[in-house]
């Protein structure tokens, strides 16, 4: 209820909260709450009231200074099915695209993830796979994770990893991106390893004009967003990375 949210905001004090719709996806259907202005934030309170009426509840978490988002996808049937990628999001956590390194048949680490983060992600993926099987679920799934800055103004921030923030027991955009890479890239006569971005939404700003674009869905006058693959040699981001701010 709104009263529950008000009590939570009062306990949190400093730092932002994010309220998420339980049936939202890709960063849509979420509301950022600033405790210092929440009591007078009529627009935010009205939106939260609407979310509660439509969805019945919201999920809340403390908003951290995220610098990179990642995903690992696979299937419960195969412990070796994990494929990793970086999720491209805007400053408010809304999904823009999937960035993966393609090495042909061999799996590759998520672009930009540290070795320690990769190990932690592998452990989290296997834990999620086991828990889903114990719960009676069999099929595709994904685990979302991120790196974030921890530390106040009086100290040098440290980069930490949260290896599991969500488990999605379904197909996701990550599954789609890896499947498209396996199907399309061999036909391009390009030699792996390659950097690949599945971009959704407005036209992506290509990095230095070097990316090769493979249009998949073209935008139309009815507001449908386009979907493209952008491909570059390894080590060169296919698109200009979004600015996540602070």
């Amino acid at each position: 209820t709104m009263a529950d949210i008000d009590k939570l905001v009062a306990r949190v004090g400093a730092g932002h909260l994010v309220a998420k719709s339980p049936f939202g996806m890709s960063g849509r259907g979420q509301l950022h709450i600033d405790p210092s202005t929440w009591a007078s934030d009529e627009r935010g309170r009205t939106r939260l009231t609407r979310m509660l009426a439509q969805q019945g509840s919201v999920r809340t978490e403390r908003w951290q200074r995220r610098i990179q988002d990642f995903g690992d996808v696979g299937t419960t049937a195969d412990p070796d099915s994990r494929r990793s990628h970086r999720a491209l999001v805007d400053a408010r956590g809304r999904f823009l695209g999937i960035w993966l390194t393609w090495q042909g048949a061999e799996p590759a680490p998520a672009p930009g993830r540290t070795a320690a983060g990769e190990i932690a992600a592998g452990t989290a993926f296997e834990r999620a796979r086991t828990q889903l099987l114990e719960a009676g679920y069999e099929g595709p799934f994904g685990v979302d994770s991120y790196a974030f800055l921890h530390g106040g103004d009086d100290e040098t921030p440290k980069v930490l990893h949260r290896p599991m923030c969500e488990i999605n027991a379904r197909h996701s955009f990550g599954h789609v991106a890896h499947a498209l890479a396996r199907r399309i890239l061999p036909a391009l006569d390009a030699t792996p390893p390659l950097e690949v971005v599945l971009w959704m939404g407005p036209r992506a700003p290509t990095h230095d004009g070097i990316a090769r674009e493979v249009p998949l869905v073209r935008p139309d006058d009815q507001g449908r967003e386009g979907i493209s693959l952008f491909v570059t040699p390894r080590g060169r981001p296919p698109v200009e990375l979004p600015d996540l701010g602070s």
Side-chain angles (χ1 to χ4, degrees):
T1 66
M2 181 65 76
D4 293 328
I5 297 297
D6 287 341
K7 291 178 182 178
L8 178 62
V9 170
R11 288 202 306 268
V12 168
H16 285 218
L17 288 174
V18 60
K20 296 183 177 182
S21 165
F23 300 107
M25 61 182 300
S26 303
R28 276 67 173 174
Q30 65 181 18
L31 174 67
H32 287 250
I33 297 174
D34 181 350
S36 66
T37 59
W38 177 241
S40 59
D41 185 1
E42 294 184 6
R43 182 176 179 181
R45 297 179 71 86
T46 298
R47 184 179 172 195
L48 181 58
T49 299
R50 188 182 307 118
M51 290 170 64
L52 289 168
Q54 292 175 344
Q55 308 265 346
S57 65
V58 294
R59 308 290 186 265
T60 59
E61 64 182 57
R62 187 183 293 273
W63 184 252
Q64 295 172 313
R65 291 185 289 170
R66 298 159 80 135
I67 55 174
Q68 293 173 325
D69 284 68
F70 303 103
D72 296 88
V73 296
T75 175
T76 57
D78 183 2
D80 296 322
S81 64
R82 181 170 75 101
R83 295 296 182 269
S84 304
H85 56 265
R86 181 169 169 181
L88 301 180
V89 300
D90 66 14
R92 299 183 73 81
R94 290 172 294 202
F95 177 81
L96 297 173
I98 296 288
W99 175 12
L100 61 92
T101 299
W102 185 68
Q103 295 185 158
E106 296 297 320
R113 186 153 63 187
T114 64
E118 193 68 28
I119 292 172
T123 301
F125 180 87
E126 181 56 25
R127 186 168 72 248
R129 191 183 74 86
T130 301
Q131 291 174 343
L132 288 171
L133 287 171
E134 291 175 348
Y137 174 81
E138 297 181 5
F141 75 100
V143 178
D144 293 343
S145 60
Y146 59 86
F148 64 99
L149 294 177
H150 177 73
D153 296 335
D154 57 343
E155 58 181 307
T156 302
K158 298 179 180 179
V159 177
L160 301 179
H161 291 85
R162 187 176 180 186
M164 182 188 296
C165 65
E166 288 185 6
I167 301 174
N168 297 303
R170 54 174 171 78
H171 278 115
S172 68
F173 288 119
H175 288 93
V176 173
H178 287 276
L180 285 170
R182 289 194 303 269
R183 180 165 184 172
I184 293 176
L185 295 184
L188 298 181
D189 294 327
T191 302
L194 299 169
E195 306 291 358
V196 183
V197 162
L198 173 64
W199 184 271
M200 306 181 66
R203 184 174 179 83
T206 57
H207 185 72
D208 295 333
I210 63 172
R212 180 173 182 178
E213 180 179 3
V214 182
L216 303 174
V217 177
R218 297 190 182 279
D220 60 24
D221 295 335
Q222 306 303 315
R224 183 179 67 177
E225 296 180 337
I227 303 176
S228 291
L229 279 183
F230 291 89
V231 184
T232 58
R234 185 171 188 176
R236 305 196 66 174
V239 301
E240 292 178 14
L241 301 182
D243 180 8
L244 300 187
S246 60

